[in-house]
Amino acid sequence: MKEYYHSVTLRKDKCRGCTNCIKRCPTEAIRVRDGKARIIAERCIDCGECIRVCPYHAKVAVTDSLSSIEKFRYRIALPAPTLYGQFKNVDDIKVILAGLKKLGFDYVYEVARGADYVTAFVREALKDPNRKRPLISSACPAIVRLIQVRFPELIDNIVDVDSPMEIAAQLARTEFCEKHGVKPQEVGVFFITPCAAKMTSIRNPVGRKESSVDGAISIQEIYGPLYNQMNNLKEEDVVQMASPFGVGWANSGGACLSLGIDSYLAVDGIQNVIRVLEEIEDEKLTDLEYFEGLACPGGCVGGPLTVENGFVAKNRIRKLSEKAKGNPVSEKELQEVAQKIQWRLDEKIPPKPVMKLDDDIVEAMRKMEMIEEIYNSLPGLDCGSCGSPSCRTLAEDIVRGFASELDCVFKLREKVKQLAQEMIELSEKIPGGKKENERQE
Amino acid sequence: MGGNNRSIEQVFYIKAGDFASAGEASSQIKKTLKQLGVDSGVVRRATIAAYEAEMNLIIHSIGGELKLKVTPETIIITAEDKGPGIPDIDLAMQEGYSTAPEIARELGFGAGMGLPNIKRNADRLNIQSKVGEGTLVEIYFDIKAR
Ligand code: SF4
Ligand code: SF4
């Protein structure tokens, strides 16, 4: 069961079966059957598109509650840089970091600092001419999963440097334990997340055996309590460590900017990312060195679990990043960090070609013929009323055995008409029916 | 029907100069091959070749047909047009050689990569052409037993 853990889930009681979500899912993972949406677990990449689009808030991301930190004797908060952009009138990141401590965390480590290290590791990787180009950023877990499902040929392009969150988590735990002489398992490390996919990657990581993070609390959950703690700041013992580049990571293009290379492409919004990945796969972008794709509009600032409008947040982060105090990572520091933690993705990322019809090609061909035949008999309007995202997917669902032709409202109408006609004909045959009467006259 | 005689065929009609639809046929071909579960490396090579063949039809021909045929062992992509034909196939196969018209070059196509790129990606290639009659390009890919 572990393999299919998903943060994104349906609240069945709230779903009205309106079909708004089915067309927006980039992996065609949603169907509406019997008036309720259903997510096909193998296909979902936890991108959160459906959370954003559902007008009835029936799609939700399961994250940990703030009180769950109480399970641990010592607690560390890992704020995503996106958190910095959520609050009005904050002109120093330290205010937010101090607020987190007052909420009950013993230590706060900026994921933005993790991002500084990731940048340095990726810069090293880019020096290696033997690696596949373009190197693809591993930072957005929804995009990594998208590649597994829809672009398995590009798995080897994914850079084998872990995400800022994982790197920050390991450094935070090690530093805290060394300083206070406590055991690692006594410490709970919590990511403050703008996104559902991160939650999934904590429970069920790709590219590493186990996550170093113990849980994720959504920005929406922590916003209120944190806001209240940020009102009366006194001198707190917090250090702001991330560099301007690390803080800027939350914005689309932030990671590329910090790399300082010419030939990069930064794209946000999952449909846009798909278009570029198609081109990379078809070798149309041959001179590209680095590609950063972020599933959410605007980057992580546009994550589904944020509070503030992404564009407003983006601007605030830009301003805050100018004042960030951290230094760039020196070569010596990078070497020390590399010794201390597991920064490389050390497990192979497996392909998940869920779009294929069958493992056996002859069988797949047979199914494709059937799909073609059924598809040609459908109206081709892609209206979605059947609960499948398009006529072609309905045809696929029928062949896969998950739907019937009568799920199509047009087919159903034809059938009803035909049945009505048969009823009339039958009724005419009944003794005392119209024809009989005529004969008697 | 039945057994290993099974095959899938798809035909796309390509109009000359129709840059607005450029790439649609080859991306449908890619989708079909992925659904059939063809090895992803073979899918990639076949898609690149199909795209080049599609672009050749748009840029160089008066329009024609792009055909996909898949059997359990082989993928055959065929591009067929009724003209104008290639005067010197050997020359057209050289990297960098191009007869692309100005409009296509401005769009970044036809840098003389078409046929050489098809050849590089194909397992086998057959080209027949007669000036004034048309061109037939058959591109073969082996589906490796996995
Ligand atoms: S958008 Fe999807 S999940 Fe939301 S109510 Fe409509 S069908 Fe249900
Ligand atoms: S989270 Fe994304 S992939 Fe999963 S069902 Fe929703 S839209 Fe589809």
Side-chain angles (χ1 to χ4, degrees):
Chain A
M1 217 47 232
K2 189 180 172 250
E3 194 185 348
Y4 293 137
Y5 171 84
H6 286 293
S7 170
V8 175
T9 39
L10 178 79
R11 287 203 45 191
K12 212 172 172 185
D13 52 323
K14 288 198 169 181
C15 175
R16 301 219 199 155
C18 68
T19 72
N20 268 311
C21 56
I22 56 177
K23 278 181 198 246
R24 283 282 289 274
C25 174
T27 54
E28 297 184 335
I30 313 173
R31 301 290 184 275
V32 173
R33 298 278 176 252
D34 302 321
K36 299 283 176 191
R38 206 169 63 81
I39 301 175
I40 304 171
E42 303 94 285
R43 289 193 178 192
C44 175
I45 58 171
D46 289 279
C47 66
E49 279 292 299
C50 55
I51 298 182
R52 222 175 265 124
V53 76
C54 174
Y56 306 106
H57 304 288
K59 290 275 178 31
V60 292
V62 177
T63 47
D64 294 306
S65 66
L66 186 51
S67 59
S68 68
I69 69 171
E70 285 157 19
K71 279 185 288 187
F72 292 87
R73 179 133 181 238
Y74 304 101
R75 306 118 188 194
I76 298 177
L78 301 178
T82 301
L83 181 69
Y84 305 161
Q86 306 297 308
F87 305 98
K88 245 184 259 166
N89 305 326
V90 169
D91 57 1
D92 189 345
I93 294 168
K94 273 175 89 172
V95 179
I96 299 166
L97 306 181
L100 283 168
K101 283 194 81 175
K102 284 198 227 150
L103 268 186
F105 289 99
D106 300 286
Y107 186 45
V108 181
Y109 193 103
E110 296 177 81
V111 172
R113 189 57 186 166
D116 282 331
Y117 295 118
V118 170
T119 305
F121 284 125
V122 171
R123 199 181 286 135
E124 289 302 308
L126 278 165
K127 286 183 191 155
D128 179 356
N130 295 323
R131 292 188 189 232
K132 281 211 178 179
R133 295 295 149 100
L135 277 179
I136 296 177
S137 160
S138 67
C140 177
I143 299 300
V144 171
R145 278 155 217 264
L146 176 74
I147 291 173
Q148 284 183 289
V149 170
R150 282 188 57 170
F151 303 95
E153 184 63 12
L154 296 180
I155 286 178
D156 291 342
N157 292 58
I158 298 173
V159 67
D160 59 351
V161 178
D162 216 327
S163 67
M165 176 187 78
E166 290 293 342
I167 285 178
Q170 295 174 67
L171 288 171
R173 195 188 300 265
T174 329
E175 280 172 23
F176 185 83
C177 291
E178 271 171 18
K179 192 169 165 200
H180 300 279
V182 298
K183 291 197 199 88
Q185 57 273 25
E186 288 181 291
V187 182
V189 181
F190 291 86
F191 181 57
I192 316 298
T193 184
C195 111
K198 278 286 180 203
M199 179 72 204
T200 304
S201 77
I202 291 168
R203 289 283 173 83
N204 185 16
V206 170
R208 64 182 300 137
K209 236 193 211 78
E210 251 174 30
S211 171
S212 315
V213 183
D214 297 295
I217 299 161
S218 80
I219 288 182
Q220 283 170 355
E221 159 122 12
I222 212 166
Y223 182 87
L226 179 56
Y227 190 82
N228 290 334
Q229 293 301 330
M230 282 169 30
N231 291 337
N232 48 354
L233 174 77
K234 294 193 202 88
E235 267 312 297
E236 280 276 347
D237 103 85
V238 287
V239 217
Q240 194 272 310
M241 292 185 302
S243 80
F245 286 124
V247 173
W249 250 71
N251 295 348
S252 164
C256 287
L257 265 183
S258 59
L259 278 173
I261 49 167
D262 274 345
S263 181
Y264 69 79
L265 192 59
V267 175
D268 56 86
I270 194 140
Q271 295 302 341
N272 301 330
V273 173
I274 288 171
R275 246 176 280 150
V276 176
L277 288 175
E278 293 278 3
E279 301 223 335
I280 293 175
E281 191 180 49
D282 298 347
E283 293 186 0
K284 287 181 199 158
L285 301 174
T286 43
D287 48 11
L288 199 59
E289 288 278 307
Y290 192 69
F291 174 68
E292 174 203 66
L294 300 175
C296 294
C300 302
V301 285
L305 308 183
T306 55
V307 174
E308 184 58 277
N309 170 315
F311 299 98
V312 176
K314 187 170 187 163
N315 199 35
R316 282 196 198 132
I317 290 175
R318 188 182 53 75
K319 282 194 222 148
L320 284 171
S321 76
E322 284 164 8
K323 290 191 218 154
K325 309 235 168 37
N327 295 319
V329 179
S330 72
E331 227 161 271
K332 185 165 157 275
E333 193 185 352
L334 189 65
Q335 275 171 13
E336 282 167 15
V337 166
Q339 299 289 322
K340 243 194 262 179
I341 60 166
Q342 174 65 47
W343 58 275
R344 218 187 263 279
L345 289 173
D346 54 349
E347 294 233 319
K348 246 187 120 41
I349 300 177
K352 281 192 183 170
V354 293
M355 297 304 183
K356 78 173 168 192
L357 296 169
D358 204 284
D359 286 336
D360 173 37
I361 188 162
V362 178
E363 189 54 22
M365 289 166 91
R366 194 184 65 82
K367 287 184 181 167
M368 185 167 281
E369 261 172 33
M370 285 165 67
I371 290 170
E372 218 42 55
E373 206 174 291
I374 295 170
Y375 174 68
N376 288 332
S377 78
L378 294 172
L381 295 173
D382 294 338
C383 68
S385 316
C386 59
S388 297
S390 66
C391 295
R392 187 167 284 278
T393 24
L394 176 66
E396 279 175 40
D397 290 344
I398 295 170
V399 171
R400 289 182 203 259
F402 302 137
S404 104
E405 218 156 317
L406 294 185
D407 284 322
C408 171
V409 285
F410 297 90
K411 283 274 163 190
L412 184 65
R413 196 158 67 187
E414 259 174 46
K415 184 85 186 174
V416 169
K417 248 193 203 159
Q418 184 198 333
L419 279 176
Q421 188 60 39
E422 280 171 19
M423 294 277 273
I424 293 172
E425 279 165 22
L426 260 179
S427 73
E428 284 167 354
K429 285 188 191 136
I430 298 173
K434 202 165 138 232
K435 287 235 169 88
E436 290 279 326
N437 290 341
E438 276 165 16
R439 225 174 284 157
Q440 275 172 4
E441 271 168 28
Chain B
M1 296 294 277
N4 285 358
N5 297 327
R6 203 171 275 285
S7 73
I8 294 282
E9 271 191 61
Q10 290 174 350
V11 184
F12 305 90
Y13 300 96
I14 314 290
K15 273 199 241 132
D18 184 9
F19 289 100
S21 327
E24 280 174 13
S26 42
S27 66
Q28 182 53 50
I29 287 175
K30 174 155 100 177
K31 198 172 170 211
T32 302
L33 295 177
K34 280 188 177 180
Q35 280 196 317
L36 289 174
V38 174
D39 173 78
S40 62
V42 179
V43 174
R44 184 176 51 80
R45 287 193 286 122
T47 310
I48 294 168
Y51 178 75
E52 296 288 6
E54 186 181 356
M55 291 316 296
N56 276 342
L57 287 173
I58 293 177
I59 299 169
H60 299 290
S61 83
I62 57 171
E65 256 177 44
L66 189 70
K67 223 186 297 175
L68 168 74
K69 184 173 175 182
V70 190
T71 71
E73 294 83 29
T74 324
I75 300 164
I76 309 163
I77 292 167
T78 315
E80 194 170 12
D81 63 54
K82 297 267 172 280
I86 307 170
D88 185 341
I89 292 178
D90 288 340
L91 188 61
M93 291 300 292
Q94 283 171 25
E95 307 252 349
Y97 175 79
S98 175
T99 58
E102 204 57 32
I103 171 171
R105 284 174 190 258
E106 273 167 20
L107 285 163
F109 297 113
M113 294 298 290
L115 284 177
N117 205 12
I118 291 177
K119 190 177 174 196
R120 204 168 328 120
N121 284 291
D123 286 322
R124 282 178 305 288
L125 180 62
N126 171 32
I127 305 178
Q128 288 163 29
S129 188
K130 216 168 189 184
V131 174
E133 282 179 22
T135 304
L136 174 75
V137 182
E138 288 174 322
I139 318 163
Y140 295 84
F141 301 89
D142 298 322
I143 299 174
K144 283 173 213 89
R146 280 183 300 149

